Amino acid sequence: MKVLKFGGTSVGTAQSISAVMDIVKQEHQNGESLVVVLSAMSGVTNLLADMAERAATGNDFSKHLAALEIRHFEIVKQLLDIQQQNPVYTRLKIYFNQLEDLLQGVFVLQELTAKTRDLILSYGERCSTLLISRMALQYFKNAVYVDASEVIKTDNSFGQARVNTDLTDLLIRSLATENEGKVMFVTGFIASNETGQVTTLGRGGSDYTAAIFASALNASEIQIWTDVNGMMTADPRMVKKAFSLPELTYTEAMELSYFGAKVIYPPTMTPAFLKRIPIVIKNTFDTSFEGTVIRHDCRNSNLTIKGISSIDNISIINLQGSGMVGKAGFSGRLFSLLARERINVMLITQSSSEHSITFAVQPADAERACKLMEQEFELELGAQKLDVPVIEANLAVLAIVGENMRQTPGMSGRLFHALGRNGINVRAIAQGSSEYNISVIISAHDLAKAVNAVHDAFFIEFNKTLNVFCLGTGNIGKTMFKQLQQHKEFLQEHNSIQVRIAGISNTRKMRFSVDGLALNEWEQDLDAYGEPANLTEFVARMKAMNLPNCVFVDNTASPQPIAFYEEIFKSTISIVTCNKIGNSGAYSQYETFRDTARKHGVDFFYETNVGAGLPIIRTLKDLMVSGDRVQRIEAILSGTISFIFNNFKGDASFHDVVKTAQDKGYTEPDPRDDLSGKDFMRKMLILARDAGYQMEAEDVQIESMLPQACLDAQSVPEFYAALKANDAHFNQLKQQAESSGKVLRYVGKLDNGQASITLEMVGEEHPFYSMSGADNVIAFTTDRYKERPMVVKGPGAGAEVTAAGVFADLINVGAN
């Protein structure tokens, strides 16, 4: 015996009903005895509830009723042979007439009781099951329609009735005996009390109907056919990377279902669990998928958790006061009161001091619960031993579930790190002693971000996703996108990181995509679909998208983005930047950025501020955090100036070398921007600050290499003319250096808190003697590297190496 249950989407259209019939035929051909439990067509139960509410408030419901009738009649027309249609039309018409009479009565009385509501809702399952059972007669001569309200007996708790198991089992077995060898098509969701009045088993009750029949008949299997591929690690509407689970224990499935996994109705598991009947969750629209099996004897799994479940709208009630401390039976009074009034408590947490209790309920129950509590504890409230209960709304529950959690240390730490890293505040926590479940209450606004962040944290066999917002599409930005595209597979395979570009902006246009912009066509996309660029709006949209593992990348040299850094950090978004202006501004700003990033648990990486892609900042930080002390730093940190002095030899004139550097694109449009040493000063200032010195820009002494006439020139051509006129000055410097076996170098120094940049002549014993191209070089003399300094040397300019440095910083954010 197998029991097959088909949900609303499985019977929602003529096409899906045909798919259902194919599944039933296949199972029947395999020689199985079958019970087929059916839900109402998708959307019908909601429509019936809406019509009942409309009638109770004196509003017209006739259009909705007519639409419901037409929908069912159309399916009859499409699926049944013409000669078989009239009997079904007649029976359906009787149902719709009864339904209209009920709604008319509610309309006249303008009163809707729970009993009447259950009766109205029952017509959804009655109509769908009648229709499909009659269609089945075209394939099975032994198909029979069963109204479950005739055999499932309950108490009088309309809306969510409790089943009388003994009587129900007896009636179902008797029914099965009478219909031996027949395929029974059974209405889900509905039952009746002892006097025959219709009750319902709660929303999702069709699953429960299937389990009740399976338990009574000792079925070998329950199949729950729905529109998704089994139970998944998370809601696929929120988590794109959610995947199907091959099997779950009853306990895991119950926990996931209780905390919002809508694939299966929580009470379903109880009858199946007691009889150890496997439950298979399958997809009506993908029958080749094996589905998820829920059973007691699962194989060992290497997954630390089986899934992340959530309820997206709850309220919590806080009750506190000294009258609770040491008061035996207080909690009993409270929760007995709520149980008596049928208010379901989803989560409870109590402080160890017994001074407060927090519990979660459905929002619709919150106000009523508070009023009941105020009545129950009137004396304590009057004596000010209790505070007035407080409701907090717009909250959500997130729960991680899995039996392996008991054997794995650090589960809570991983959960709270993922939430904290993404700025998600936890309002309450609950964990059972069984350790199958850890539940947290968070803002409903943060739920999607939280579920994605936690999924990335626990399912490490899948890539962690970084959601990146990029500012600047110049040489560095373009090159970075190119590198990300080229190394996408490498990142996924070796670093388990997927970089998703969720936003791009330049000075003209900006573009956003939650699913990520394609890196092979981002320029066309930005040009064709981008909206006018606005930096304030760009940051606001980035925050509003509220994505997990978010990174802001500043690939500009503009002062404007710097004004938003602190706000971005406070939104728990990491920053990667090649823009030196932020770190070389006022020291108070430098300190604020670090303090804010640290306080909000995010990263601030700026390796490319000094030396492009060379590991200079990271090396300095590693020295500092390991307890070393910097005694002296010497550096050449301008690729432009390095190129000029590396080529200023022999017969070459200084004027010609500078012109060559500009022609090659090594200098700014006005070469004085490089030769003045201002950019070099910013880099030395950042190094000094990272080495622990509270310095301002004016504390760095700069020796100008240019004569005053060159600095005073009114235009670039005049500058070159002045440079030409001063050839003798530069030739004298070159000859002086060459005669003593030395070379000219523009060197930055940090020595005991004193920073300077000077033009020097260095000999071959100096690490800066052998330089080529646009290389940068830096020597660290520390307590550990005292006799021989640590030297870092390599290309210090160019889009490729700078973009690679930004790329590396981005991957380091992912590693954190």
Side-chain angles (χ1 to χ4, degrees):
M1 167 69 70
K2 284 186 180 178
V3 177
L4 282 60
K5 177 266 175 179
F6 293 92
T9 51
S10 298
V11 296
T13 64
Q15 184 180 2
S16 62
I17 291 172
S18 295
V20 166
M21 202 52 59
D22 289 339
I23 293 166
V24 175
K25 282 192 290 184
Q26 181 63 48
E27 291 289 348
H28 191 260
Q29 287 168 4
N30 293 338
E32 301 285 355
S33 297
L34 300 179
V35 173
V36 181
V37 177
L38 300 165
S39 295
M41 293 181 189
S42 55
V44 168
T45 303
N46 287 336
L47 184 59
L48 289 167
D50 180 59
M51 285 193 290
E53 295 295 336
R54 293 178 68 85
T57 54
N59 291 306
D60 180 52
F61 57 83
S62 57
K63 290 181 181 177
H64 300 287
L65 182 60
L68 190 64
E69 187 173 323
I70 290 169
R71 181 177 176 186
H72 285 80
F73 284 3
E74 283 295 323
I75 289 179
V76 171
K77 188 184 300 182
Q78 292 176 56
L79 296 181
L80 288 176
D81 295 336
I82 294 176
Q83 62 271 26
Q84 296 175 350
Q85 290 177 6
N86 280 337
V88 182
Y89 283 141
T90 302
R91 187 70 180 272
L92 285 175
K93 190 61 180 174
I94 291 170
Y95 279 153
F96 287 120
N97 288 341
Q98 292 171 351
L99 180 58
E100 184 176 19
D101 290 342
L102 277 170
L103 290 168
Q104 191 61 41
V106 172
F107 179 83
V108 171
L109 295 173
Q110 293 198 14
E111 180 183 12
L112 179 63
T113 64
K115 180 168 70 174
T116 305
R117 180 186 174 88
D118 274 6
L119 185 54
I120 290 171
L121 295 184
S122 72
Y123 283 92
E125 273 70 18
R126 288 173 170 177
C127 290
S128 65
T129 307
L130 171 70
L131 189 158
I132 294 169
S133 67
R134 293 299 182 266
M135 176 188 171
L137 285 171
Q138 297 178 134
Y139 308 100
F140 319 111
K141 292 182 180 179
N142 56 357
V144 60
Y145 165 69
V146 175
D147 186 334
S149 65
E150 296 175 2
V151 290
I152 298 180
K153 294 299 177 179
T154 69
D155 64 7
N156 295 321
S157 302
F158 297 99
Q160 193 153 1
R162 293 190 181 95
V163 176
N164 181 336
T165 304
D166 293 338
L167 178 57
T168 296
D169 285 356
L170 186 64
L171 291 172
I172 290 175
R173 288 173 192 145
S174 176
L175 175 74
T177 302
E178 292 171 11
N179 293 282
E180 188 173 355
K182 296 180 180 180
V183 180
M184 293 189 288
F185 288 82
V186 182
T187 56
F189 178 55
I190 65 175
S192 66
N193 61 15
E194 291 183 1
T195 62
Q197 295 172 319
V198 170
T199 59
T200 59
L201 303 175
R203 293 303 293 268
S206 293
D207 292 349
Y208 194 16
T209 303
I212 291 167
F213 267 79
S215 177
L217 300 174
N218 292 312
S220 60
E221 182 176 280
I222 303 169
Q223 295 180 2
I224 307 290
W225 290 85
T226 181
D227 58 353
V228 294
N229 282 340
M231 295 279 278
M232 304 186 79
T233 51
D235 186 338
R237 293 169 298 180
M238 280 195 282
V239 181
K240 301 295 185 186
K241 291 185 284 187
F243 60 96
S244 299
L245 296 160
E247 59 181 12
L248 292 166
T249 66
Y250 289 114
T251 303
E252 289 169 335
M254 284 181 183
E255 294 280 1
L256 285 169
S257 299
Y258 180 74
F259 283 98
K262 296 179 176 61
V263 174
I264 192 167
Y265 185 55
T268 301
M269 258 74 70
T270 304
F273 174 75
L274 294 173
K275 292 286 185 74
R276 293 193 169 183
I277 302 170
I279 304 171
V280 185
I281 315 294
K282 305 196 79 172
N283 190 342
T284 307
F285 309 102
D286 184 8
T287 55
S288 63
F289 186 76
E290 292 185 1
T292 300
V293 182
I294 302 169
R295 56 185 170 208
H296 74 282
D297 56 346
C298 282
R299 294 161 295 183
N300 290 332
S301 170
N302 60 354
L303 296 175
T304 52
I305 69 170
K306 287 292 183 67
I308 305 159
S309 197
S310 59
I311 302 172
D312 59 8
N313 186 20
I314 64 151
S315 295
I316 61 173
I317 299 175
N318 298 307
L319 184 64
Q320 64 181 20
S322 59
M324 298 166 58
V325 179
K327 187 79 170 181
F330 183 88
S331 298
R333 279 177 67 192
L334 171 61
F335 294 114
S336 294
L337 166 71
L338 297 174
R340 196 164 58 241
E341 298 295 329
R342 300 182 63 80
I343 294 174
N344 184 36
V345 176
M346 293 178 284
L347 179 148
I348 305 167
T349 180
Q350 182 173 15
S351 65
S352 57
S353 65
E354 300 183 12
H355 186 262
S356 67
I357 293 177
T358 298
F359 58 93
V361 297
Q362 292 289 348
D365 293 331
E367 290 288 349
R368 186 162 65 95
C370 276
K371 288 178 181 177
L372 290 167
M373 289 160 61
E374 288 171 5
Q375 292 169 8
E376 177 71 20
F377 301 110
E378 184 178 4
L379 293 177
E380 289 88 342
L381 289 165
Q384 296 187 339
K385 290 184 178 180
L386 284 181
D387 296 339
V388 175
V390 176
I391 299 172
E392 294 184 53
N394 301 317
L395 298 173
V397 175
L398 179 150
I400 58 171
V401 173
E403 289 194 353
N404 282 352
M405 289 167 60
R406 290 180 299 169
Q407 306 154 10
T408 310
M411 300 299 291
S412 298
R414 202 187 302 184
L415 170 64
F416 293 116
H417 175 76
L419 296 174
R421 174 84 180 170
N422 284 279
I424 296 161
N425 186 35
V426 175
R427 307 304 308 274
I429 306 162
Q431 180 177 13
S433 58
S434 63
E435 295 187 58
Y436 287 140
N437 170 315
I438 303 175
S439 306
V440 296
I441 294 178
I442 60 175
S443 166
H445 173 68
D446 289 329
L447 181 60
K449 178 165 75 167
V451 174
N452 277 276
V454 173
H455 197 276
D456 268 0
F458 281 97
F459 294 104
I460 56 176
E461 66 273 23
F462 286 82
N463 297 313
K464 177 181 289 184
T465 299
L466 292 181
N467 289 291
V468 180
F469 293 82
C470 292
L471 199 62
T473 60
N475 286 337
I476 296 171
K478 285 181 180 177
T479 307
M480 187 190 77
F481 291 149
K482 179 181 175 183
Q483 291 174 353
L484 284 172
Q485 177 70 7
Q486 289 174 341
H487 300 292
K488 179 171 65 175
E489 292 180 4
F490 178 88
L491 281 178
Q492 293 178 355
E493 183 177 349
H494 297 278
N495 298 79
S496 297
I497 290 174
Q498 174 186 357
V499 178
R500 179 188 291 155
I501 304 300
I504 297 176
S505 181
N506 53 30
T507 56
R508 301 177 305 281
K509 289 188 175 183
M510 62 184 184
R511 179 93 167 104
F512 301 90
S513 172
V514 172
D515 297 323
L517 297 164
L519 288 176
N520 58 346
E521 53 187 31
W522 67 267
E523 287 186 89
Q524 303 92 303
D525 192 296
L526 185 63
D527 286 341
Y529 304 108
E531 53 194 281
N534 181 302
L535 184 54
T536 302
E537 177 64 17
F538 185 82
V539 173
R541 290 273 287 280
M542 174 178 67
K543 290 165 57 181
M545 287 169 74
N546 205 30
L547 298 174
N549 306 321
C550 206
V551 189
F552 176 79
V553 177
D554 180 5
N555 281 327
T556 74
S558 167
Q560 294 179 350
I562 310 304
F564 293 92
Y565 278 17
E566 186 177 355
E567 176 187 346
I568 292 169
F569 287 135
K570 287 180 177 178
S571 303
T572 60
I573 296 172
S574 294
I575 294 179
V576 169
T577 181
C578 62
N579 189 340
K580 293 182 281 290
I581 296 174
N583 283 321
S584 59
Y587 182 82
S588 59
Q589 176 178 273
Y590 168 91
E591 192 172 40
T592 295
F593 289 164
R594 272 142 198 80
D595 289 346
T596 309
R598 186 166 51 249
K599 178 180 178 182
H600 293 274
V602 292
D603 292 316
F604 182 31
F605 289 147
Y606 48 91
E607 184 64 71
T608 48
N609 277 195
V610 179
L614 294 177
I616 293 173
I617 296 291
R618 193 169 298 117
T619 300
L620 176 57
K621 286 187 174 180
D622 287 347
L623 291 171
M624 298 291 290
V625 299
S626 65
D628 204 353
R629 186 179 67 88
V630 174
Q631 297 180 0
R632 178 182 176 88
I633 293 176
E634 291 182 280
I636 294 174
L637 296 174
S638 169
T640 303
I641 296 174
S642 183
F643 175 86
I644 289 170
F645 282 117
N646 288 338
N647 288 276
F648 183 42
K649 53 190 176 183
D651 295 332
S653 71
F654 195 75
H655 167 276
D656 292 344
V657 173
V658 173
K659 193 70 172 65
T660 300
Q662 185 176 32
D663 291 343
K664 287 180 175 290
Y666 288 145
T667 75
E668 296 294 328
D670 187 336
R672 285 173 294 184
D673 292 342
D674 297 294
L675 298 175
S676 67
K678 187 174 181 180
D679 185 65
F680 197 162
M681 177 276 293
R682 287 177 174 150
K683 297 175 182 180
M684 286 304 300
L685 181 61
I686 293 168
L687 282 175
R689 288 171 170 177
D690 279 3
Y693 296 100
Q694 297 185 18
M695 297 181 64
E696 301 291 353
E698 54 267 23
D699 296 328
V700 182
Q701 303 299 313
I702 304 176
E703 177 189 344
S704 175
M705 71 176 74
L706 295 175
Q708 194 61 41
C710 296
L711 295 172
D712 292 341
Q714 298 299 305
S715 65
V716 172
E718 287 183 19
F719 159 72
Y720 275 114
L723 206 58
K724 186 78 172 174
N726 282 276
D727 267 350
H729 166 74
F730 290 106
N731 286 333
Q732 183 182 355
L733 290 173
K734 179 174 65 176
Q735 290 165 8
Q736 184 180 348
E738 288 175 347
S739 63
S740 56
K742 298 182 178 180
V743 291
L744 292 170
R745 296 289 183 256
Y746 200 45
V747 180
K749 292 181 182 178
L750 176 68
D751 197 347
N752 291 321
Q754 301 296 314
S756 62
I757 302 171
T758 57
L759 185 62
E760 297 187 10
M761 300 178 188
V762 300
E764 59 185 8
E765 77 287 350
H766 197 283
F768 295 176
Y769 181 83
S770 299
M771 300 279 287
S772 62
D775 278 0
N776 279 192
V777 62
I778 185 165
F780 294 103
T781 303
T782 71
D783 289 350
R784 293 178 193 149
Y785 296 90
K786 188 181 297 184
E787 302 302 324
R788 297 179 63 196
M790 178 194 291
V791 177
V792 179
K793 180 181 177 184
E800 285 288 339
V801 291
T802 305
V806 175
F807 189 155
D809 276 349
L810 196 54
I811 303 314
N812 281 323
V813 174
N816 288 342

